[in-house]
Amino acid sequence: MKTVYVLKCYLTSSEGLRAKGVEAVVDCVVSEVYDGDIARIRELVLGILGRILAGGPGLGELSFDSNESIGSTHMLYRFRYRVDPGSEDYIGARVVVRGTSIVRVLFTFPRRLGGLISIKEVYDPSEELSKGGPRENTGAPGQVYIPGMVIYNILGVPRVDASGWSLEVSGLVSNPVKLSLSGLYELGVETIRTDFHCVTGWSVKNLEFTGVRLSKIVELVKPRESVKWVYVESLDGYTTIFPFNEVTRGDGLVALEMNGKPLDILHGYPARLIIPSLYGWKSAKWVSRIMFTDEYRDGYWEALGYHPRGRVDLEERFKML
Ligand SMILES: Nc1nc2c(c(=O)[nH]1)N[C@H]1C(S)=C(S)[C@@H](COP(=O)(O)O)O[C@H]1N2
Ligand SMILES: [Mo]
């Protein structure tokens, strides 16, 4: 048996994952050649489990769950590991393949198995983000254009009462605000036409969104010098994060309308983010809170290995470090 080369493992989680029964995620960076032999993936998953579980892997059972492509460059394989084959509890394993390399293996732990984790280190995005300057004219590498947006609601569609809803904008700012729907309109709305790109590989051309520019909201709340990140929370418990400078230089929107009509509930009514330069998971629907902060923390998909920034032009699908 070949020895497993694990570069590093991180411990993480998010509110939304907890709501789905995942208490913690262990995210391991690996660098392994993959020649298409699924046995190699199984061997690797078991090998890493042996390293990260306090007390070793034991005599559990690893079973294949599903796989799919992520863009034209990546594959994602999902497995389950039952520590005790007699129990329903399992550790989920997500294996990220990029071209001919296995680059990441992530493990999701339910609460009852959280005690088995021996990893404590947390991910630091700063090195990763030192790459990549101004926007590249590369288009959307690895994407396929389709006629309309695929609707996602990983945590369900929340019940929304727009009259009671407000968007809190807070954190390290001198003027925190709570904006109602009419309050947002009073700030002044603009209409943009943009392509939209989901990290799984689909894109839609030329969509029309109307809303308040994020740069306008920045002017209003006045973030402190130390702000580096924008952390976003939604009514359904969804969270995401992106660098502050993507907001100040970009064309991001708190969108209230799509094609001249209020957003459909399925597309995030009453308000969602639209950040055209970043993959779609950063464009949180049913947004309820925008927090300016100096500290990085994983949102829902970031905790499952997705990139802290997610720039489309640089094809930042998964974390690399
Ligand atoms: N609250 C919430 N926002 C979300 C998601 C979600 O599941 N819940 N999915 C994200 C992903 S992965 C994508 S690609 C886009 C899809 O937007 P749509 O559902 O309006 O097509 O929404 C993003 N925002
Ligand atoms: Mo997505």
Side-chain angles (χ1 to χ4, degrees):
M1 198 167 167
K2 212 172 145 234
T3 45
V4 173
Y5 187 37
V6 186
L7 298 174
K8 217 167 220 179
C9 293
Y10 306 111
L11 179 64
T12 185
S13 193
S14 82
E15 285 299 307
L17 278 172
R18 273 183 217 111
K20 295 206 105 176
V22 172
E23 181 65 18
V25 179
V26 173
D27 176 3
C28 297
V29 185
V30 299
S31 177
E32 286 287 318
V33 174
Y34 180 54
D35 60 3
D37 182 2
I38 201 124
R40 180 69 199 120
I41 295 188
R42 297 171 136 277
E43 187 190 25
L44 184 64
V45 169
L46 289 170
I48 301 175
L49 271 170
R51 294 234 197 146
I52 65 170
L53 294 186
L59 296 169
E61 198 176 273
L62 185 69
S63 56
F64 174 76
D65 192 359
S66 60
N67 73 340
E68 63 178 278
S69 60
I70 305 288
S72 59
T73 43
H74 291 72
M75 292 291 295
L76 179 64
Y77 294 78
R78 301 186 192 84
F79 291 81
R80 302 170 179 215
Y81 182 77
R82 281 186 211 287
V83 184
D84 168 5
S87 148
E88 283 300 298
D89 292 331
Y90 65 86
I91 299 167
R94 301 166 67 94
V95 180
V96 181
V97 172
R98 179 186 201 196
T100 54
S101 306
I102 305 171
V103 291
R104 278 193 120 74
V105 182
L106 293 103
F107 299 94
T108 55
F109 286 79
R111 193 148 55 88
R112 266 194 285 192
L113 300 177
L116 297 173
I117 303 173
S118 67
I119 304 293
K120 287 199 183 67
E121 198 180 343
V122 297
Y123 170 76
D124 171 2
S126 49
E127 200 181 326
E128 187 120 50
L129 292 199
S130 60
K131 294 177 288 184
R135 201 146 299 152
E136 308 271 355
N137 233 340
T138 51
Q143 296 290 107
V144 170
Y145 284 88
I146 59 171
M149 297 172 85
V150 178
I151 292 163
Y152 293 124
N153 45 42
I154 191 70
L155 293 161
V157 178
R159 221 173 275 161
V160 175
D161 162 25
S163 60
W165 173 88
S166 67
L167 173 62
E168 180 185 319
V169 188
S170 57
L172 299 173
V173 298
S174 28
N175 181 36
V177 291
K178 272 194 176 157
L179 298 161
S180 65
L181 198 46
S182 57
L184 279 161
Y185 274 100
E186 279 159 27
L187 288 177
V189 295
E190 281 172 60
T191 298
I192 63 168
R193 283 199 160 270
T194 179
D195 297 356
F196 188 90
H197 312 281
C198 171
V199 71
T200 59
W202 58 265
S203 297
V204 181
K205 271 203 191 318
N206 208 26
L207 293 166
E208 186 190 294
F209 292 100
T210 301
V212 182
R213 290 229 183 244
L214 277 171
S215 53
K216 192 167 250 177
I217 289 175
V218 164
E219 274 168 45
L220 175 71
V221 301
K222 298 185 174 57
R224 307 236 172 90
E225 283 284 312
S226 58
V227 166
K228 285 204 191 75
W229 296 98
V230 185
Y231 184 78
V232 182
E233 295 174 5
S234 297
L235 294 175
D236 54 340
Y238 187 82
T239 52
T240 189
I241 190 162
F242 46 85
F244 177 57
N245 61 17
E246 289 300 315
V247 177
T248 46
R249 73 163 152 207
D251 32 14
L253 218 59
V254 175
L256 307 171
E257 298 175 11
M258 189 173 164
N259 303 322
K261 287 189 293 191
L263 288 169
D264 191 280
I265 179 72
L266 295 174
H267 286 303
Y269 179 79
R272 75 173 304 166
L273 298 188
I274 289 292
I275 324 255
S277 56
L278 307 181
Y279 284 117
W281 89 84
K282 306 287 186 182
S283 291
K285 304 193 283 188
W286 310 293
V287 59
S288 54
R289 192 167 184 218
I290 298 176
M291 277 217 336
F292 294 94
T293 124
D294 57 359
E295 249 174 65
Y296 178 81
R297 124 162 100 127
D298 284 330
Y300 186 90
W301 288 113
E302 291 82 9
L304 290 173
Y306 290 85
H307 201 276
R309 181 167 57 189
R311 263 172 66 175
V312 175
D313 60 339
L314 302 177
E315 224 186 325
E316 291 174 333
R317 299 180 196 271
F318 290 94
K319 293 170 182 167
M320 298 292 291
L321 302 172

